[in-house]
């Protein structure tokens, strides 16, 4: 039963990052803060920085969610989630090689994945110690 809970905790952390990122992408595109993802040539450095900011916050939240739901071995689950995030980020780097701009952004997401998830775990641990 703990194995299923552990898999669920990691999945929920990953889903948290993906869903929040996609929802925010849709909102900021619809109100005109970011151009459509179908027009990557319209992105400027500021657009990428905005997306990097909120996606990093959501990655921290994903680490927190996994920590909150972990039945035990929380650190191990965080390492697993961080590894998955980094691998997904590397996939983004590979995909960005054919894009006209934004390769640095894809690299930044890949590099920030593990430390952001780790920070989410540390925030959870600090909160747990205070209560």
């Amino acid at each position: 039963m703990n194995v299923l809970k552990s898999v669920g905790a990691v999945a929920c952390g990953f889903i948290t990052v993906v869903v929040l990122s996609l929802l925010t992408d849709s909102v900021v595109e619809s109100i005109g803060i970011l151009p459509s993802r179908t027009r990557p040539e319209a992105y400027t450095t500021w657009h990428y920085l905005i997306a990097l900011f909120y996606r990093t916050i959501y990655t921290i939240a994903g680490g927190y969610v996994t920590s909150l739901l972990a039945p035990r071995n929380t650190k191990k689950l965080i390492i697993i989630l961080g590894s998955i995030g980094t691998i997904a980020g590397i996939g983004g780097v590979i995909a960005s090689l054919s894009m006209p701009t934004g390769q640095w952004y894809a690299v930044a997401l890949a590099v920030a994945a593990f430390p952001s998830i780790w920070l989410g775990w540390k925030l959870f641990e600090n909160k747990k110690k205070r209560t």
Side-chain angles (χ1 to χ4, degrees):
M1 188 55 116
N2 278 337
V3 171
L4 289 178
K5 288 181 181 180
S6 295
V7 170
V10 171
C12 285
F14 187 80
I15 290 167
T16 296
V17 177
V18 171
V19 169
L20 289 175
S21 295
L22 292 175
L23 287 173
T24 303
D25 287 347
S26 295
V27 170
V28 294
E29 286 174 16
S30 70
I31 61 176
I33 294 173
L34 295 181
S36 170
R37 283 172 279 178
T38 61
R39 295 185 36 235
E41 70 281 353
Y43 272 71
T44 67
T45 300
W46 285 107
H47 294 129
Y48 286 117
L49 286 171
I50 290 167
L52 179 63
F53 175 76
Y54 67 76
R55 285 177 180 246
T56 300
I57 297 295
Y58 297 154
T59 305
I60 294 168
Y64 191 94
V65 167
T66 294
S67 301
L68 180 67
L69 298 176
R72 59 188 173 97
N73 297 324
T74 306
K75 189 175 184 179
K76 181 179 177 181
L77 297 181
I78 289 300
I79 291 169
I80 291 168
L81 179 61
S83 299
I84 292 169
T86 301
I87 291 166
I90 292 169
V93 170
I94 293 167
S96 77
L97 295 176
S98 64
M99 304 294 281
T101 62
Q103 289 82 8
W104 70 266
Y105 166 73
V107 170
L109 283 176
V111 169
F114 201 97
S116 298
I117 289 166
W118 192 267
L119 178 57
W121 170 63
K122 289 308 248 176
L123 290 172
F124 176 80
E125 290 294 316
N126 286 340
K127 182 179 179 198
K128 191 167 73 171
K129 285 179 187 174
R130 285 183 289 180
T131 57

